[in-house]
Amino acid sequence: MKKKRRNPIHAYKHLLAKDYDWDYGYLIALEKKKLQRMHDYFKISDIAEDNKYTTRDLGICLKLIDIFMENDSVHNTWLERAYSGTRIQFRKLDDGNYEMVDDDKEPLPDIPVYVNTRNEKRFFRNTPIKDALAEDRREYSIHLKISLRQQKALHLYHMIREYKLFGWWD
């Protein structure tokens, strides 16, 4: 007996229930869902000659989306190390404003993967990481490295789509 294929709308049901027209994250979530479905299809089908390369490219795109949307294991590990167990306290200043108390704050851990910063100028149009390290602003340089990693993932994602999108079905 042939298995009846479910309507594709069911796959998007929970995404469409939270339809935000103003949110780029929603657009990326829809795109990721479609790429995941395509990845699963190309993994088992024989529609194209280069299925293994198409499957590989789609898998890379899915991982890159996770990186630039801050949903990958490296970013989550770094967040866990950096901010778990941290209690944020504030003190009131004489002028009525508040400032964060960071007397017992532990130093921010490095991101647990290597990020090539030699070409940071290509993505930031200047050298903020190099400048921050020269000014001994380590924490700022770590946040900039995370941003650079995201920018590189976004760039590579769009590059793969630009070069491979029309060839995935040949």
Side-chain angles (χ1 to χ4, degrees):
M1 186 168 153
K2 188 176 179 181
K3 184 179 176 183
K4 186 179 175 185
R5 186 169 181 243
R6 278 185 90 179
N7 188 336
I9 298 221
H10 291 289
Y12 298 94
K13 196 181 219 178
H14 95 283
L15 281 174
L16 294 172
K18 299 174 184 162
D19 183 8
Y20 302 118
D21 292 331
W22 46 264
D23 187 8
Y24 75 91
Y26 176 74
L27 174 66
I28 298 299
L30 282 173
E31 198 165 321
K32 182 180 176 187
K33 182 66 174 180
K34 185 60 182 176
L35 288 173
Q36 182 64 57
R37 289 174 55 84
M38 289 168 56
H39 178 264
D40 295 345
Y41 174 76
F42 279 111
K43 211 186 236 187
I44 60 170
S45 80
D46 291 327
I47 194 170
E49 287 182 24
D50 295 333
N51 268 2
K52 71 178 184 179
Y53 298 114
T54 301
T55 305
R56 178 202 64 195
D57 293 343
L58 288 167
I60 290 170
C61 284
L62 290 167
K63 288 178 184 175
L64 291 170
I65 287 173
D66 285 342
I67 290 172
F68 70 77
M69 292 302 291
E70 298 178 336
N71 195 24
D72 65 315
S73 61
V74 170
H75 186 78
N76 292 336
T77 300
W78 177 80
L79 275 178
E80 178 74 24
R81 287 182 190 164
Y83 298 107
S84 68
T86 304
R87 267 189 74 209
I88 298 175
Q89 296 178 344
F90 296 93
R91 71 173 142 237
K92 190 170 185 175
L93 300 174
D94 294 336
D95 61 1
N97 291 325
Y98 289 86
E99 75 175 353
M100 190 167 64
V101 177
D102 60 354
D103 300 336
D104 60 343
K105 187 178 169 193
E106 292 183 22
L108 194 64
D110 286 323
I111 184 164
V113 293
Y114 172 75
V115 178
N116 179 11
T117 60
R118 291 178 303 211
N119 61 353
E120 70 179 305
K121 197 169 187 171
R122 185 186 313 166
F123 296 93
F124 291 140
R125 305 289 184 243
N126 54 17
T127 57
I129 298 171
K130 188 177 182 180
D131 298 342
L133 289 172
E135 296 168 2
D136 201 30
R137 298 174 61 199
R138 185 183 161 281
E139 288 192 7
Y140 184 54
S141 73
I142 291 170
H143 286 288
L144 288 170
K145 281 182 187 177
I146 291 167
S147 179
L148 179 62
R149 182 173 181 258
Q150 290 174 289
Q151 293 295 321
K152 287 182 172 194
L154 183 64
H155 175 74
L156 185 56
Y157 170 73
H158 287 296
M159 205 164 81
I160 290 172
R161 289 201 44 222
E162 178 181 358
Y163 291 137
K164 302 288 186 167
L165 184 67
F166 293 120
W168 280 337
W169 294 277
D170 290 342

